[in-house]
Amino acid sequence: MAILRPTFVPLFALTAALLLPSLHAQTVQSGLGEDAQAIIDAPAVPVPDQPAVPDTISIPRFEETVPAAARPAIVAQPMVADDVEAVEIPAELIGEEEAEEEEEVEMAEDATLQEEIDEKDSTIKNMEGVTPGRAPLTASALRARSKPEPQAKLGADVMTRTEARTFTFAIPAPRGQMLDRNGYPLAQSKVSYYAAISFPYLGKEVEDAEVLRYAGERILHVNNILGSEWDLPGKTVLQHYKERRWFPLTFSSILTDEEVDELNRQQMEGLKLHPVYVRHYPQGETLSHVIGYVGKRPPRLTGPIVNDEPLWGQGVGVDGLEEAFETDLRGQDGRVNVLFKEDGTKTKEDVLSKPKPGFNVVTAIDLEMQRICESLLAEKVKRGAMVVLDVRTGDIVAMASYPQFNPNDFIPSISQEKYSALVEDPAKPLFPRAYRAAYPPASTFKVPVALGFLESGYISAGDMYPCPNAWTIGDLTMRNWNTKEEGMMNVVTALTRSCNTWFYEVAVSAGADSMSYMATRLGLGQKTGIPLNEVEGFIPSNRWWLDKYGYMMSDGEEAVMSIGQGKVEATPLQIAKMMAAVGNGREVMKPRLVLQIQDLNHEIVRSFPTEVANSLNVDGYSLRTVRRGMYDVVNAGNGTGKAAYHKITVSGKTGTGQWKVAQEQNIAWFAGYFPSKYPIYSFAVIYEGEPGEKVGGGKNAAPVVGAFLEQYLTEENYNRVRDAATELKEVDPGDLDEYSYRDSMRPSIFRTGPGGEVPALEQVNPAEEQAGPEPPQRGGGGLFNRIFKRERR
């Protein structure tokens, strides 16, 4: 693996007065290598009542593409994608548990809040009795009121004097950086300043009121200059003077560069700028849910100073990568010995050891992609998420949740007002939806369902089932999103049109385990293994149902499961992982969020290789069938995802589902991969509707992907994707998408009716059926079929 080599100025320029190194992290332009990308050919199949789409659509290079106005028009069916809405699930199949909302863990539980001061103990309030315009107290004036201190003998060691002190302090090390895959900084440490009171010795007989006035005059001086309202509790001031006056007493928040300059121009005795290392997030809100923030700062120290006490309190990572890689990011503290004269003046300092900065964490994130995803969510989605994975490696190149928050607001502490606004915001900006929110996957779940049906051997690509506008079993009636009957169709068209009633019919015959087994194999209902606090989601099975309820899933419950509703839940990250597996066709890759850990000299301390979660191990015949349907969802005239159309060729699946039934709040999905042949990236987008809002995957989610491709696929990126796909074709020129589905419309040899007979099925083209070649041997007809095949009862 190539090594990132960020460019830095020296980390440790220890200041003589402040004992602190300075860190200036630079934006890095070198990377771990470019993801070459490519465009490829993609097959298509004819649909009933429409002109046949050629089997091969040749996609030219970017500079050769035809203007949009000159493209051939796509013939649409009467029902357009915008008409797709969530179908109502019968209340009997929802149950009480589905109405319960899972606890949502937000990212502010360990935030450090700004200190609140009781008005009765306010140092500033105690200043109200001081005559305006009165000269401020000085240390020399206060000491003059006290009895003279005994004079030390000439040449006596400073340590023999009453108020002299020597201390050994720990110098906190700067945290390591976080970088995107190309070296751009996501989190850094920088030197910042607090305004602080540096108490000199005020005399043996100084009164508490005089100490409070001395401190209050310095705080007011700063407030008047900067227009601020900082304050300190009087009790804190007095305790600090009596026990810790050699150490600066900070009272402000982090100062801006302009404020630092202004205070340097208007200096005052006993007032100093206290430098510290603080965390800084140069990209602001970008990737905030993944990075997390630094919090849990220790409270202000009290009591006598002890050796090896830190010069300032360090926070620790709170959620996100800041928490996950705390031990790597935290450096090794240095040590310094400081000698103070009896009047509080520092006379000598010896650096015993320099601090060593923490390691750098190099993520798989592509900052360009991440920004585009976040900007589109802000523009087109009220609340939701978008994830983009590299299907070849599992790299998470973008993972956005919206709305976001700015982690800089938590550094070094956040005001109670701002904290309350974030926590109480109904849009939940602190909630990382991309990996910690489990949603019903709705019709995106039809991808593993269809694959499970095919692999079980219960259906083949040519089996025909009706697509009525409603389906009844017992006393329950479940409807399709289309109010009109759409006739007989095979699995490819069922995916293209997202026909719910088709899936109901097949599901009750094929059984729940064919669906749950394939969904689990594709990574749904289980944590992906990223180093963040993610949720599992849930995929029900007959075994779970039997253990919990004492009976196996009913036909109605199986029907609801087949369209990704009921108890089925998955995160956007899991859906993107599933699509990556379907896209690469061979392996289910473990999503990779971090590429490597580096030291200050850019040497790799630890790397994270790509990992295969499990082999996909499905028959190519089954996979080609499902991929055909996903291709037609976007590229055929009757597909539900036409809003994501792009010349790069996109395959995907829309989804629209019930979510929070009591609030009549639904969700919209669009997930898939591109290019359609030899894919490079997979994606998943979810849109949370408002209560009562009519949403649709083709209307609300697919346009986000279409806009993403338009923005990201500049000429340079477009040709990189094209070239990467070409490389894949050269490495593995398999026939994954070459098989013609028009030649395979035949009944499955595994499908039987109630009495064991093979039912008569209407064929799309009986003449072609007789002349067509035998389909390839389907691997799903073996052990998978023996386990999951069942007769309809």
Side-chain angles (χ1 to χ4, degrees):
M1 183 179 293
I3 302 174
L4 282 175
R5 296 197 175 274
T7 303
F8 300 99
V9 297
L11 281 174
F12 300 110
L14 193 67
T15 61
L18 305 177
L19 314 177
L20 290 174
S22 63
L23 173 64
H24 303 279
Q26 305 280 324
T27 297
V28 185
Q29 301 299 333
S30 61
L32 288 174
E34 299 179 349
D35 287 331
Q37 330 238 353
I39 285 187
I40 43 106
D41 300 339
V45 293
V47 292
D49 304 321
Q50 284 189 267
V53 182
D55 271 343
T56 300
I57 301 176
S58 179
I59 307 297
R61 292 185 66 83
F62 185 92
E63 59 271 16
E64 299 169 353
T65 52
V66 181
R71 292 180 193 150
I74 296 178
V75 181
Q77 294 287 86
M79 297 302 293
V80 297
D82 287 358
D83 297 321
V84 181
E85 296 179 2
V87 295
E88 183 176 349
I89 306 299
E92 296 90 335
L93 300 178
I94 296 177
E96 297 181 358
E97 292 187 14
E98 280 67 34
E100 295 177 4
E101 186 174 342
E102 186 174 325
E103 181 182 0
E104 297 177 344
V105 181
E106 297 187 348
M107 304 183 73
E109 294 182 347
D110 295 305
T112 302
L113 302 182
Q114 290 181 1
E115 186 177 20
E116 292 189 345
I117 300 170
D118 187 342
E119 185 174 326
K120 296 179 180 179
D121 193 32
S122 166
T123 299
I124 296 301
K125 285 290 183 181
N126 290 333
M127 292 292 297
E128 292 179 352
V130 178
T131 305
R134 187 174 176 180
L137 291 176
T138 63
S140 58
L142 290 171
R143 286 198 298 266
R145 299 178 186 177
S146 303
K147 297 179 180 179
E149 298 287 341
Q151 294 294 318
K153 296 180 180 179
L154 188 63
D157 187 276
V158 69
M159 292 306 298
T160 65
R161 302 173 189 177
T162 307
E163 294 299 324
R165 294 289 189 278
T166 182
F167 299 108
T168 300
F169 293 107
I171 309 173
R175 289 175 75 85
Q177 293 192 98
M178 288 189 201
L179 308 165
D180 91 325
R181 65 186 305 116
N182 298 307
Y184 291 103
L186 303 173
Q188 301 172 312
S189 291
K190 69 174 186 178
V191 174
S192 294
Y193 295 88
Y194 290 104
I197 301 167
S198 181
F199 281 109
Y201 180 54
L202 300 179
K204 211 171 188 180
E205 300 175 6
V206 66
E207 297 179 359
D208 288 351
E210 293 171 321
V211 174
L212 290 173
R213 178 184 165 190
Y214 187 91
E217 289 173 343
R218 273 74 193 158
I219 298 173
L220 279 176
H221 177 75
V222 172
N223 287 346
N224 291 336
I225 294 173
L226 304 181
S228 51
E229 296 181 352
W230 291 314
D231 199 355
L232 280 173
K235 182 179 179 181
T236 298
V237 171
L238 294 175
Q239 286 181 341
H240 186 91
Y241 176 76
K242 294 173 182 177
E243 300 177 327
R244 308 178 58 83
R245 65 175 178 81
W246 298 270
F247 200 87
L249 175 61
T250 59
F251 61 84
S252 73
S253 56
I254 293 295
L255 301 173
T256 65
D257 292 342
E258 294 75 16
E259 290 171 336
V260 169
D261 292 341
E262 189 63 36
L263 292 181
N264 274 327
R265 283 192 292 269
Q266 302 191 49
Q267 297 182 16
M268 183 179 188
E269 177 196 282
L271 181 65
K272 68 174 295 182
L273 296 172
H274 183 55
V276 297
Y277 273 127
V278 296
R279 205 58 164 156
H280 175 61
Y281 302 98
Q283 310 304 334
E285 293 185 349
T286 298
L287 208 67
S288 55
H289 294 102
V290 173
I291 296 172
Y293 60 91
V294 173
K296 295 183 182 177
R297 293 179 67 241
R300 191 190 299 271
L301 294 177
T302 58
I305 298 173
V306 296
N307 279 331
D308 292 320
E309 197 174 282
L311 290 173
W312 63 86
Q314 289 181 287
V316 298
V318 174
D319 219 315
L321 294 177
E322 289 280 25
E323 179 184 37
F325 289 88
E326 172 66 26
T327 55
D328 294 294
L329 292 165
R330 181 182 285 272
Q332 183 177 335
D333 292 350
R335 297 174 73 239
V336 63
N337 188 271
V338 186
L339 180 64
F340 295 91
K341 290 170 57 177
E342 66 275 10
D343 63 357
T345 305
K346 181 170 57 179
T347 61
K348 186 180 180 181
E349 61 183 29
D350 293 318
V351 177
L352 306 178
S353 62
K354 294 181 179 180
K356 296 179 181 179
F359 296 141
N360 296 330
V361 175
V362 183
T363 70
I365 295 294
D366 183 310
L367 189 56
E368 179 185 10
M369 276 194 183
Q370 181 73 23
R371 284 173 169 168
I372 293 173
C373 290
E374 292 179 352
S375 67
L376 288 173
L377 289 177
E379 175 187 346
K380 298 178 180 294
V381 178
K382 300 179 180 69
R383 293 183 296 272
M386 182 173 185
V387 180
V388 183
L389 301 184
D390 188 320
V391 305
R392 302 162 296 176
T393 61
D395 285 356
I396 302 174
V397 291
M399 187 159 63
S401 300
Y402 188 82
Q404 304 157 273
F405 68 96
N406 191 335
N408 290 308
D409 290 340
F410 290 85
I411 307 301
S413 59
I414 186 170
S415 68
Q416 183 65 55
E417 180 181 3
K418 188 172 291 187
Y419 176 80
S420 297
L422 286 171
V423 172
E424 296 168 8
D425 188 336
K428 300 182 183 295
L430 295 169
F431 187 47
R433 291 169 164 83
Y435 59 89
R436 201 174 290 169
Y439 302 93
S443 289
T444 64
F445 193 64
K446 291 174 182 174
V447 171
V449 167
L451 198 54
F453 290 164
L454 291 163
E455 278 291 278
S456 71
Y458 190 82
I459 66 168
S460 73
D463 285 353
M464 307 294 288
Y465 283 85
C467 180
N469 63 354
W471 179 84
T472 301
I473 185 166
D475 59 353
L476 295 177
T477 297
M478 301 170 64
R479 303 188 181 280
N480 189 24
W481 61 267
N482 191 347
T483 58
K484 298 180 181 179
E485 183 175 349
E486 296 198 32
M488 300 292 289
M489 59 179 60
N490 61 12
V491 64
V492 173
T493 309
L495 285 168
T496 304
R497 296 294 294 150
S498 198
C499 178
N500 291 332
T501 48
W502 189 98
F503 280 88
Y504 298 155
E505 176 67 22
V506 180
V508 299
S509 302
D513 288 334
S514 64
M515 298 183 282
S516 60
Y517 181 83
M518 186 56 64
T520 303
R521 187 191 296 185
L522 287 168
L524 302 184
Q526 52 196 295
K527 293 184 178 181
T528 65
I530 61 172
L532 302 177
N533 180 17
E534 57 177 331
V535 296
E536 288 186 345
F538 185 71
I539 301 298
S541 66
N542 273 323
R543 171 58 63 88
W544 181 88
W545 215 275
L546 187 62
D547 290 343
K548 185 169 181 64
Y549 299 111
Y551 60 90
M552 296 176 70
M553 295 177 69
S554 68
D555 288 347
E557 288 155 346
E558 289 174 335
V560 170
M561 179 181 178
S562 73
I563 62 168
Q565 295 277 190
K567 294 187 181 298
V568 183
E569 289 186 334
T571 67
L573 176 59
Q574 291 173 0
I575 296 296
K577 174 186 176 181
M578 175 188 74
M579 292 300 181
V582 175
N584 75 44
R586 290 166 178 79
E587 298 166 329
V588 180
M589 302 300 298
K590 179 181 177 180
R592 181 170 63 165
L593 184 56
V594 174
L595 301 179
Q596 57 186 223
I597 307 297
Q598 297 179 354
D599 65 16
L600 185 62
N601 297 318
H602 326 307
E603 297 295 331
I604 296 177
V605 176
R606 189 165 75 257
S607 62
F608 300 87
T610 59
E611 293 184 50
V612 177
N614 56 271
S615 174
L616 184 57
N617 195 28
V618 297
D619 183 65
Y621 173 81
S622 303
L623 189 61
R624 286 193 298 270
T625 304
V626 172
R627 290 179 64 160
R628 178 81 245 178
M630 293 176 64
Y631 175 82
D632 285 353
V633 165
V634 179
N635 298 281
N638 61 345
T640 57
K642 296 189 294 292
Y645 176 84
H646 192 277
K647 57 180 173 284
I648 196 74
T649 67
V650 181
S651 294
K653 186 69 193 76
T654 56
T656 309
Q658 286 185 301
W659 179 34
K660 297 181 179 180
V661 179
Q663 292 101 316
E664 297 183 357
Q665 193 170 5
N666 297 334
I667 52 175
W669 286 91
F670 186 62
Y673 51 81
F674 67 91
S676 294
K677 190 175 180 182
Y678 302 107
I680 303 300
Y681 295 111
S682 68
F683 57 82
V685 175
I686 188 167
Y687 175 102
E688 292 183 9
E690 295 285 352
E693 179 185 4
K694 293 184 177 181
V695 302
K699 178 175 65 174
N700 299 104
V704 177
V705 174
F708 169 82
L709 295 173
E710 288 295 332
Q711 291 188 30
Y712 176 69
L713 292 177
T714 60
E715 179 174 359
E716 179 183 2
N717 290 338
Y718 179 96
N719 287 329
R720 282 214 310 265
V721 174
R722 179 185 187 276
D723 294 341
T726 301
E727 289 180 8
L728 288 180
K729 182 177 181 180
E730 292 171 352
V731 171
D732 185 8
D735 64 346
L736 189 62
D737 287 303
E738 299 299 333
Y739 192 79
S740 173
Y741 298 97
R742 287 172 291 173
D743 296 332
S744 62
M745 301 305 184
R746 60 182 73 249
S748 169
I749 62 174
F750 300 102
R751 180 172 175 228
T752 58
E757 74 278 5
V758 178
L761 296 176
E762 178 184 347
Q763 305 298 323
V764 172
N765 189 331
E768 281 194 8
E769 162 62 25
Q770 296 300 322
E774 282 291 318
Q777 181 64 36
R778 296 189 296 276
L783 176 63
F784 192 104
N785 181 60
R786 291 198 300 273
I787 296 175
F788 298 118
K789 173 179 172 290
R790 71 173 194 176
E791 292 186 350
R792 189 170 5 189
R793 299 294 182 187

